[in-house]
Amino acid sequence: MEYNPKNIYIGRIEKFEGDVIINSLGIDTTNYGDICRSIVEASKSPFLKDLIKRVNTIYSVGDYFITPGYETSAENIIHLITPHSKDDKNMVLLKDRLRRIFSICLERGWKRIGIPSIGTGANKYDKEKVKDLIYEMGTHFEYYNPGYHFYLVLPDKETSLANEARLERARLARKGEYHSKDVQKSFEEGAKNLGKKIVIVKEYGKSYFD
């Protein structure tokens, strides 16, 4: 699927200036995903950090809660306890939760909406399918609700490389193989494979990561 550039925001989710951004949480709160980590760190809120640590004692999969944006660039944050792909093979649950998120935005009059590719890290949804789903639902919502603007938030090159390196370090650490040479190797491999692993955004006939 090719995306209209007007609905694409290239950059870090916590830097998106809008009425609301979406955070993706797993029920396993011992391991932050990239989206959640970025938002929590940027928020500089001890309350939010503590709340997310306890989320599995308060909420269930599919639930959500809303907080202010704190020190992020957004006014508000919807935190979704995202389903896991193994329990949602056809993305029915994820689609239902996205539909609810758009309804909340409509109810509250949040007109500038930033949504990253939720569920594609620890929850293991297919990246391309999730991006296409979010884009399709977002543009549909925008079409039927004039004045509302949806953005699919995609990482820039620097963020993508950092995420690739972090995932590689975590993988090596689990295997007991992590040491300093592997750090450099992970960056090199991330750079070499970036175009294959990250969604391609086409603008003016050229891939963003070309």
Side-chain angles (χ1 to χ4, degrees), residues 40 43 66 83 86:
V40 170
S43 76
I66 299 170
K86 66 182 175 61

Side-chain angles (χ1 to χ4, degrees), residues 34-192:
D34 294 320
I35 293 169
C36 186
R37 178 183 295 102
S38 297
I39 290 174
V40 170
E41 289 178 355
S43 76
K44 299 180 182 178
S45 168
F47 170 78
L48 179 58
K49 188 173 184 178
D50 180 64
L51 177 60
I52 287 176
K53 283 182 179 178
R54 297 184 292 111
V55 74
N56 59 352
T57 67
I58 305 171
Y59 300 100
S60 301
V61 172
D63 289 345
Y64 65 89
F65 59 95
I66 299 170
T67 68
Y70 300 108
E71 296 298 313
T72 70
S73 296
E75 294 294 323
N76 302 279
I77 308 170
I78 299 176
H79 306 266
L80 173 67
I81 293 79
T82 310
H84 197 286
S85 62
K86 66 182 175 61
D87 303 314
D88 191 24
K89 298 295 185 184
N90 296 316
M91 301 197 297
V92 174
L93 295 175
L94 184 61
K95 186 173 184 178
D96 178 72
R97 293 297 83 194
L98 285 167
R99 187 180 294 114
R100 179 59 187 141
I101 283 170
F102 283 116
S103 295
I104 293 168
C105 294
L106 190 61
E107 291 164 5
R108 299 196 174 213
W110 292 340
K111 296 188 174 183
R112 186 174 166 87
I113 306 160
I115 306 183
S117 50
I118 58 176
T120 58
N123 290 32
K124 300 188 184 302
Y125 282 97
D126 181 273
K127 290 183 180 181
E128 299 300 324
K129 289 181 180 178
V130 167
K131 291 180 178 78
D132 287 351
L133 175 65
I134 293 172
Y135 181 82
E136 183 179 357
M137 293 185 70
T139 51
H140 182 86
F141 171 81
E142 186 179 275
Y143 178 82
Y144 284 100
N145 295 281
Y148 284 76
H149 302 286
F150 149 78
Y151 298 85
L152 175 60
V153 180
L154 301 175
D156 55 25
K157 279 188 178 182
E158 183 179 354
T159 303
S160 299
L161 282 171
N163 291 345
E164 289 287 333
R166 187 190 65 79
L167 290 172
E168 179 68 4
R169 291 196 300 271
R171 185 186 68 79
L172 293 171
R174 287 194 297 271
K175 294 174 65 178
E177 299 176 359
Y178 173 70
H179 55 80
S180 58
K181 284 195 297 185
D182 291 319
V183 177
Q184 182 59 33
K185 180 181 177 183
S186 65
F187 272 101
E188 291 171 357
E189 289 298 313
K192 183 172 68 177

